[in-house]
Amino acid sequence: MITVEGDADAVHSVRISASSSPIQGTTEPVRRTATQLEEWFSGERTRFDLPLAPAATPRGQALRDAMVAIGYGETLSYGALADLAESSARAIGQACARNPFPIIVPCHRVLNADGRLGAYSAGDGPRTKHWLLDHEQRHSPNRARDLFSR
């Protein structure tokens, strides 16, 4: 189940868990998020256009933006994303672990250097991460690419 929380201005969090209720609030950002997530799950959407609460720091926002730049159905290693974001693999890992917007800010697309999934802080951990990556691969316009080869 996915829980979306927000106010009239922005979405504040998205949580994936077995026990959450589907929606928290009826504000426009929350309704838009629910609609766009439904479109993503049906394979109709590859990017999100939502007002997200800003990161606590400019550096945190830069790391979030770097994750969003990873294309649908694609993956990068923590190190490769760190190089692109002029950061460290550890900082990328911490940003992924603290990501308040799983799926929307696609930290599931960040893998270990050897292509293994690594950790995932949402849902059922690596099992959820594998499902999300598999879902994107099934719906990706670039299906011929091997998702786990990067």
Side-chain angles (χ1 to χ4, degrees):
M1 181 102 24
I2 296 179
T3 300
V4 178
E5 294 179 339
D7 59 24
D9 297 320
V11 176
H12 293 274
S13 71
V14 173
R15 288 189 314 277
I16 303 171
S17 70
S19 62
S20 61
S21 57
I23 299 292
Q24 296 291 327
T26 58
T27 65
E28 179 60 23
V30 170
R31 285 193 309 267
R32 282 181 53 203
T33 302
T35 297
Q36 289 187 26
L37 282 167
E38 287 174 10
E39 293 167 352
W40 186 88
F41 279 109
S42 70
E44 300 168 22
R45 175 174 289 280
T46 61
R47 295 188 66 80
F48 294 90
D49 179 23
L50 298 166
L52 302 179
T57 66
R59 187 73 193 133
Q61 186 64 48
L63 297 179
R64 185 188 291 176
D65 292 343
M67 283 185 265
V68 169
I70 303 169
Y72 182 89
E74 297 180 5
T75 60
L76 283 177
S77 70
Y78 291 94
L81 186 57
D83 289 345
L84 292 172
E86 298 179 355
S87 187
S88 70
R90 180 174 294 210
I92 296 295
Q94 290 173 347
C96 289
R98 295 181 187 135
N99 179 12
F101 308 108
I103 302 174
I104 295 166
V105 175
C107 58
H108 62 277
R109 297 177 188 159
V110 185
L111 306 178
N112 289 339
D114 62 6
R116 289 182 298 137
L117 293 180
Y120 191 62
S121 61
D124 194 21
R127 184 181 306 182
T128 299
K129 185 173 186 172
H130 183 272
W131 188 93
L132 295 170
L133 291 168
D134 187 57
H135 169 78
E136 287 188 357
Q137 186 62 27
R138 282 191 318 270
H139 294 283
S140 175
N142 302 314
R143 285 183 61 171
R145 281 196 279 207
D146 179 9
L147 177 67
F148 300 107
S149 67
R150 293 178 139 210

